[in-house]
Amino acid sequence: MKLMDYMDEALIELDLAATSREEAFEILTKKLDDAGYLNDRAAFVTALEAREALSSTGIGFEVAIPHGKTDAVNRPVIAFAKAPKGIEWDSLDGEPAKLIFMIGVPEAAEGDEHLRILALLSRRLIDDEFRNRLKEATTVEQVVMQLETVYA
Amino acid sequence: MKIVAITACPVGIAHTYMAAEKLSKTGIELGHDVKVETHGSIGIENGLTEQEIKEADGVIIAADKTVDLERFAGKRVVVVPVADAIKQPAELIERVKTAPIQKATTRTQDAKKGKDGNIVYRALMNGVSHMIPFVVVGGLLIALALAIGGEPTANGLAIPEGSIWQKVLDVGAASFMFMVPILAGYIAYAIADRPALAPGIVGGYIAANGSFYGSEAGAGFLGGILAGFAAGYLVRWIKTWKVPQMIQPIMPILVIPIVSMTAIAALFIFVVGAPIAGLMEGLTTMLQGMEGSSKIVLGLLLGAMIAFDMGGPVNKVAFLFGASMIAEGQTGIMGAIAVAICIPPLGMGIATFIRKKLFVKEEQEAGKAAFMMGLVGITEGAIPFAAGDPLRVIPANMIGAMVGAAIAITVGVTNNVPHGGPVVAVLGAVDNVIMFFISVIIGSLITAFMTIFLKERAQNKVKQSESLKQVG
């Protein structure tokens, strides 16, 4: 199993044109909606915001992982965006987010494989080298090459 | 320092694992031994053992949800939000040294299930839930074919060659053939992920096919469970091998499956196979030696054997014994067996009808199918229940079948066709039809109520210990 099973190239954004968390949600959920992963975009945004309200998903080191577990999502999916200028995310270390993984999981997805892969991604994001390589990637191919290394 | 930690977050898909990773990394950097148990939506992973907790100098709980602290009585415990473990892991490790000591609660630890207890249950349920469609579809097709197209003959219920019902039966049999391999495969999968799937499936297939190890019957679903756990733990162990970077990519698709499949096959062919063949021989001799002894004892024994492994070697010995006795004119033995055969699936069906809440949704559906299968004498309908909760369901099945078979043999129910279930009575192979049905009903109700009783008792135990936990 691997991370790329839950992503596709259309869901990778190299230069996210957003200046706030809300705008980032707007752009990325539209991508997910256009690709057919959502059945209720508004409900998914609500789930994302509810999670942020608990505590920010800006985990520091310029990474944010907004996520929502709701049946507004058709199947487990991850969108990835780079925001070279940084987006204010109210993160743990105060730094703006430059690497954003938006994760959508239905309430009752079959099996737990997608959860394992997300766990693995979370662990990998703690790795400085992995983050740096993602930050250095300038093409979708280079991003995909890095994300291909997240597998079990 | 030795430190144990737990991380947990509300949604349980990201922070839990980041915090875990951060804590162990920081631990390594600072020269501490940190082990982290994660409470994510996958469940509890990397569980702390009692030994590890005992040896730990301190405990870090980085969680945004409630974590039971009882295990850590007498230890220095730091409790913080999960974010703190990501933000300032080094400070947390420092704080452990001076943290307050967790007060002991009065309850002892013995009710606590170890981590492997959870894995065993999860693995069994994973195997069962994937197996259920195969059992249900196969069972219902076979049931349909037998009920509509079947005719009683000396060789059992036969379906005329070339009829459409023959095809239906074949498709059902094909689905049934996957039952044990799928059970074993997904047990293995739950333990060691995808690399264990193929070894588990093939191991289950070998377990279910006695021809691999010179036995007349395969090892049945119990053999499948064994194959599944063997494959799972073997693969999990192989995954810990340190291999050169170059070999790593081919580990999951080539090395692990080949090594583990070969090992599981060898296990069944050289280790498990001979004892099964020997067991069958021994049981056959025993049954033959019992001719002339008390009918009740024989009935109890046959009932127990039929219900024990449902299609496995023990069941097979009893069934073949009954079939061979028909030829000698002793149709009473097959009469008792015909009753025993349908009691486990009927009992499970009844149990799911009257106590829905004790069963998960899939099991409720499987219960309806089991009932249908029971009517046409397909004991296998009860296998999903037995495989998911063997320690409670198998005894309930056995006792119901024992009582049913003992009543039938005592009052002289006979059956001149080697097949079981109400279908043989309807088709006219049974003498003393009324007592046949009475035996079936009594046995099935005993199985159903005993299953309910045992499952409810188990649930109450869990509830009790949970409420105690909250008080503590």
Side-chain angles (χ1 to χ4, degrees):
Chain A
M1 60 180 183
K2 54 186 185 145
L3 180 64
M4 283 306 292
D5 291 344
Y6 301 97
M7 301 187 70
D8 67 56
E9 293 184 6
L11 300 178
I12 295 174
E13 174 69 54
L14 292 174
D15 189 359
L16 188 64
T19 53
S20 66
R21 192 153 78 183
E22 289 66 35
E23 274 180 49
F25 284 179
E26 185 71 21
I27 297 169
L28 287 174
T29 57
K30 179 156 190 336
K31 262 183 185 288
L32 290 172
D33 202 22
D34 290 346
Y37 286 97
L38 305 179
N39 56 58
D40 185 345
R41 187 175 157 204
F44 182 52
V45 173
T46 310
L48 291 172
E49 280 167 353
R51 178 60 191 82
E52 298 293 341
L54 283 172
S55 67
S56 171
T57 61
I59 55 161
F61 4 92
E62 303 179 329
V63 175
I65 40 154
H67 52 279
K69 194 173 178 189
T70 160
D71 282 334
V73 182
N74 295 325
R75 55 186 184 279
V77 65
I78 300 155
F80 172 66
K82 294 180 51 155
K85 292 187 209 87
I87 297 170
E88 175 48 40
W89 213 278
D90 190 19
S91 61
L92 298 179
D93 58 2
E95 295 291 322
K98 292 186 177 170
L99 299 175
I100 297 151
F101 286 88
M102 178 175 283
I103 299 164
V105 177
E107 282 292 347
E110 190 69 22
D112 59 10
E113 198 169 281
H114 58 288
L115 299 172
R116 290 176 185 279
I117 209 75
L118 288 173
L120 202 62
L121 171 66
S122 303
R123 287 179 182 276
R124 284 295 299 278
L125 284 171
I126 295 297
D127 178 7
D128 309 340
E129 266 185 52
F130 180 67
R131 290 198 310 268
N132 287 337
R133 282 197 295 264
L134 277 176
K135 281 176 195 163
E136 284 157 13
T138 52
T139 65
V140 171
E141 287 70 35
Q142 287 172 357
V143 170
V144 169
M145 219 168 78
Q146 291 311 319
L147 297 179
E148 284 284 3
T149 65
V150 182
Y151 66 87
Chain B
M1 275 199 298
K2 275 198 171 163
I3 296 173
V4 292
I6 291 180
T7 59
C9 60
V11 182
I13 57 181
H15 288 69
T16 302
Y17 304 98
M18 293 187 183
E21 190 71 15
K22 195 79 194 178
L23 280 175
S24 21
K25 277 210 161 161
T26 311
I28 293 169
E29 280 164 19
L30 300 178
H32 299 301
D33 183 0
V34 181
K35 172 156 182 195
V36 189
E37 176 178 294
T38 52
H39 294 205
S41 41
I42 303 169
I44 295 176
E45 286 186 302
N46 200 27
L48 303 169
T49 63
E50 286 195 17
Q51 182 72 17
E52 282 162 344
I53 296 173
K54 215 171 105 191
E55 288 171 0
D57 299 302
V59 182
I60 296 173
I61 308 290
D64 289 345
K65 60 180 197 187
T66 334
V67 171
D68 177 21
L69 296 179
E70 193 188 281
R71 290 195 273 173
F72 308 114
K75 294 279 163 193
R76 294 192 180 279
V77 180
V78 178
V79 183
V80 292
V82 68
D84 286 14
I86 302 174
K87 204 162 52 179
Q88 38 185 329
E91 285 85 336
L92 288 185
I93 292 174
E94 192 56 35
R95 269 172 62 187
V96 163
K97 292 178 190 161
T98 54
I101 289 173
Q102 176 73 18
K103 281 197 197 84
T105 47
T106 44
R107 211 164 63 84
T108 49
Q109 299 268 315
D110 55 3
K112 196 107 210 157
K113 251 206 228 146
K115 155 194 143 199
D116 275 350
N118 286 330
I119 287 194
V120 167
Y121 173 75
R122 241 188 22 208
L124 280 176
M125 285 318 287
N126 193 45
V128 168
S129 68
H130 284 89
M131 167 179 69
I132 282 178
F134 292 91
V135 180
V136 170
V137 173
L140 290 184
L141 289 182
I142 293 174
L144 199 67
L146 289 176
I148 302 180
E151 287 160 14
T153 71
N155 296 320
L157 272 186
I159 292 171
E161 281 291 327
S163 72
I164 182 74
W165 296 113
Q166 179 68 46
K167 304 286 176 227
V168 176
L169 183 78
D170 289 348
V171 175
S175 179
F176 249 34
M177 192 200 80
F178 286 102
M179 181 167 70
V180 175
I182 292 293
L183 172 68
Y186 282 91
I187 287 175
Y189 186 103
I191 297 169
D193 289 326
R194 191 174 289 171
L197 182 62
I201 288 182
V202 175
Y205 181 81
I206 293 173
N209 285 276
S211 58
F212 276 97
Y213 37 89
S215 158
E216 206 165 333
F221 78 98
L222 292 173
I225 291 177
L226 173 68
F229 279 105
Y233 281 108
L234 183 64
V235 169
R236 198 158 91 166
W237 175 62
I238 296 176
K239 276 172 141 183
T240 64
W241 292 1
K242 299 262 177 288
V243 295
Q245 191 84 41
M246 230 178 63
I247 301 179
Q248 255 171 23
I250 60 164
M251 281 299 282
I253 48 165
L254 198 66
V255 179
I256 294 179
I258 288 184
V259 173
S260 52
M261 225 182 257
T262 314
I264 299 295
L267 170 74
F268 273 92
I269 293 171
F270 298 113
V271 184
V272 181
I276 290 180
L279 173 79
M280 289 185 71
E281 225 165 274
L283 288 171
T284 307
T285 319
M286 182 182 76
L287 283 178
Q288 280 161 352
M290 285 192 60
E291 270 181 87
S293 68
S294 146
K295 275 187 176 174
I296 290 192
V297 175
L298 185 60
L300 289 173
L301 183 66
L302 289 171
M305 288 174 72
I306 288 289
F308 171 65
D309 57 356
M310 298 180 276
V314 176
N315 165 290
K316 201 102 176 189
V317 167
F319 184 80
L320 292 175
F321 174 71
S324 69
M325 286 295 121
I326 295 177
E328 294 182 19
Q330 293 199 37
T331 50
I333 290 170
M334 200 63 215
I337 290 173
V339 168
I341 279 177
C342 61
I343 286 174
L346 290 177
M348 289 306 124
I350 295 170
T352 61
F353 298 154
I354 53 184
R355 275 288 188 287
K356 266 205 176 117
K357 278 191 201 143
L358 287 173
F359 300 91
V360 301
K361 225 180 195 169
E362 282 166 326
E363 286 179 321
Q364 292 170 17
E365 293 306 312
K368 291 175 200 155
F371 191 83
M372 304 280 287
M373 286 183 237
L375 293 179
V376 292
I378 304 171
T379 318
E380 282 87 340
I383 287 183
F385 298 91
D389 193 5
L391 294 181
R392 281 177 273 277
V393 171
I394 293 179
N397 280 340
M398 287 174 70
I399 289 179
M402 287 164 78
V403 173
I407 298 176
I409 205 168
T410 315
V411 301
V413 170
T414 68
N415 172 17
N416 53 28
V417 168
H419 195 93
V423 68
V424 288
V426 174
L427 291 175
V430 168
D431 263 353
N432 210 345
V433 174
I434 292 178
M435 277 318 289
F436 173 87
F437 277 105
I438 290 177
S439 320
V440 167
I441 292 168
I442 292 177
S444 306
L445 288 178
I446 290 177
T447 291
F449 281 108
M450 199 170 150
T451 305
I452 290 170
F453 170 74
L454 291 174
K455 277 185 183 280
E456 274 180 349
R457 202 181 60 164
Q459 282 198 348
N460 287 340
K461 255 191 197 165
V462 172
K463 266 187 207 145
Q464 261 175 17
S465 70
E466 266 169 11
S467 61
L468 271 175
K469 236 185 254 167
Q470 271 158 10
V471 172

